[in-house]
Amino acid sequence: MDQVPVPWRIIGPLGPDLVSRYESAFLECSIERLFYFVWRYVVASEYRALQIRLKGWYSEDLAAKPGSHKPLEQRLSGYPALMREEESAFISDLNRLQRLWFRCCLTTMPFSHEFLDESRYRYRFFGMGDEVWLGAERKGRGRVPE
């Protein structure tokens, strides 16, 4: 955690400690607050990739197999609700000032992509279907939108 992004270090005193825990709706257990930002980074990347894949669905594919895009479309539709649910779990016990800190962290996430990318190794979390670990402790596998 030595490489916490500069904007996060500046606003850090306003918020909770990143290693303090919250009750994750995704994992259905308690985990460090830093995991939320790593999780959001991974989920947002997957969501964008799925959107691109759906937009690139060829009309020939649809003509050959009508409705072949439906499973992808359905999976894609589950991501926003999952993200809202996890965000609600994260901010549920934060006061007003800490919620401001949270919004600032979200705003500066694009500048923190290297830190978040490296932090995925902390939890061994690289995609929605992966097991999540914290050190030697297996935290479980989260729900994947279907």
Side-chain angles (χ1 to χ4, degrees):
M1 298 257 297
D2 304 332
Q3 301 173 359
V4 173
V6 173
W8 290 16
R9 277 187 264 155
I10 292 170
I11 60 174
L14 299 177
D17 188 5
L18 287 175
V19 294
S20 67
R21 292 178 176 254
Y22 78 103
E23 199 62 37
S24 171
F26 173 71
L27 291 173
E28 298 176 340
C29 67
S30 175
I31 194 158
E32 295 176 347
R33 289 191 182 277
L34 174 61
F35 175 75
Y36 173 80
F37 296 103
V38 173
W39 176 85
R40 185 162 178 133
Y41 173 75
V42 169
V43 170
S45 298
E46 283 189 14
Y47 185 66
R48 280 190 302 278
L50 288 173
Q51 284 179 319
I52 291 168
R53 193 167 140 203
L54 186 61
K55 284 181 184 176
W57 213 266
Y58 296 110
S59 58
E60 299 88 36
D61 294 336
L62 288 173
K65 284 186 164 178
S68 60
H69 68 293
K70 293 290 185 192
L72 181 60
E73 197 174 64
Q74 186 178 17
R75 182 173 177 203
L76 195 60
S77 69
Y79 276 77
L82 186 64
M83 292 173 81
R84 280 191 304 274
E85 188 178 344
E86 187 69 10
E87 181 177 317
S88 295
F90 184 87
I91 65 172
S92 66
D93 61 342
L94 298 182
N95 63 37
R96 195 174 291 166
L97 189 59
Q98 290 172 331
R99 287 176 189 224
L100 175 64
W101 163 86
F102 171 70
R103 294 289 170 214
C104 290
C105 286
L106 288 182
T107 304
T108 59
M109 271 182 72
F111 307 110
S112 310
H113 65 89
E114 287 180 22
F115 170 71
L116 294 170
D117 197 42
E118 290 173 14
S119 296
R120 294 182 312 164
Y121 293 94
R122 179 181 177 96
Y123 304 102
R124 301 181 211 166
F125 183 69
F126 303 96
M128 289 292 284
D130 290 350
E131 294 279 340
V132 177
W133 295 77
L134 185 54
E137 181 184 0
R138 179 184 170 277
K139 300 305 278 185
R141 182 183 311 248
R143 295 175 290 130
V144 178
E146 294 182 19

